[in-house]
Amino acid sequence: MSIDLSTSRFEQPVSAEAQPVSAETAAAPDPHARSVTSRHPHDDAPDSAGDFARLAGLADGPERDAVRDELAKAWLPMAHRIAGRFRDRGENIEDLRQVAAVGLVKAIDRFDPSRGAFESYAVPTITGEVKRHFRDRMWALRVPRRVQELRNKVRIARRDLTMNPGAPEPTTAEIAAHAGLTEDEVGAGMEAMESFSTLSLDAELSSTDDNYSLADTLGDLDSSYDRVVDREAAKEGLRRLPERERNILYMRFFEDMTQNRIADQLGISQMHVSRLITRSCARVRDEALGAQARSGRGDTDGRKGAA
């Protein structure tokens, strides 16, 4: 079953243009006059109590779906009117109308005719659906519900405190006292007020000729930090190596000498130099990893002892 929610106006009988009439003409019955359905205070609120009573008595099936469709079409202009209250808030009006239409369908499905007029039930239901759309869909980043609620409380408190003309900007303490919040909560709410939408990394920070963007202020990963950790881990193992092996590693990795050149300088074979480098590096690596493992066990033992 599908409901056509594209109708934007409730069809009404076209009446002739009003003309002045005499008292006698007004009192006389018009045999060609058509009965007009009584309406609620709003022009887009049709009198559909009979249809809702009929809908409540129908079981699931084609007949019930047809009555439900007619009710949705009749009340759709009201849903569009409610959606119009939220225009110019960063969302397309057609999308807002679709959200309001979803709220209307929910209201029709949940309405109990014995509880009163449908309009009294549908208006808060549709309004709540649109507000949930803004709360859940319009934030560029996912913000916790608690922070969203703080934002709304702070916004309302600021509006109340600045309502009088010439009123100064309220302080954090004044907003907290008015809204019943702590100053930290007010700070979180004010930050959320400025974080409804994100800023592009390509946005320019100023109008100068430098053309600096937000991305230019962000730092890059520095690989030197990892190198410092590795050097500190290998330092103790290097100290324990024999002097000749330390010299070989220094010449190879700090002076960038080839193995043949090192062999000529020390009077040994290139193969021997290669074996010494391999053995020294393995020893330093094993000691560094062993020290890290022992440090990890020490932290674990310390936590166990504290527990």
Side-chain angles (χ1 to χ4, degrees), residues 97-113:
R97 287 182 173 183
Q98 288 296 322
V99 174
V102 172
L104 171 63
V105 173
K106 291 182 178 180
I108 292 174
D109 290 338
R110 300 170 183 172
F111 177 61
D112 183 358

Side-chain angles (χ1 to χ4, degrees), residues 167-184:
E169 181 68 22
T171 64
T172 301
E174 292 173 341
I175 295 175
H178 185 82
L181 303 172
T182 66
E183 292 190 17
D184 290 340

